[in-house]
Amino acid sequence: VYGPLVIPVEQSHIKQILSEEGPPHLREFTAGVYHCGRLIGTGKGKTKKAAEKAAAGMGLEVLKKERNNGEK
């Protein structure tokens, strides 16, 4: 069993809206999450918050996989 995934402050993440598509009433946002300057996840949603949440989830999975691969 692994402990919690801890990211040092100097390696914090940045979330950014990459694009907005569609008319105002049917807008779809695409967000990206960066870790140490590297894009590690993207996500889409009907709101900026939903897109950021999807991107953060994908980014977390990438970091978990990298962590697990490094401990084998």
Side-chain angles (χ1 to χ4, degrees):
V1 177
Y2 297 108
L5 182 64
V6 177
I7 301 171
V9 174
E10 65 274 5
Q11 295 182 3
S12 63
H13 67 280
I14 297 171
K15 293 182 282 187
Q16 182 178 22
I17 298 299
L18 301 175
S19 69
E20 299 178 25
E21 298 176 1
H25 65 286
L26 293 174
R27 188 75 69 193
E28 181 175 64
F29 298 92
T30 301
V33 64
Y34 295 81
H35 177 68
C36 297
R38 179 175 59 112
L39 180 65
I40 59 169
T42 58
K44 292 185 180 245
K46 294 182 187 275
T47 65
K48 289 179 182 179
K49 185 175 182 176
E52 289 174 344
K53 185 175 180 179
M58 180 184 282
L60 182 59
E61 290 304 313
V62 168
L63 292 177
K64 285 180 181 179
K65 285 180 185 176
E66 288 178 357
R67 179 180 176 204
N68 291 338
N69 288 338
E71 291 185 358
K72 288 183 177 180

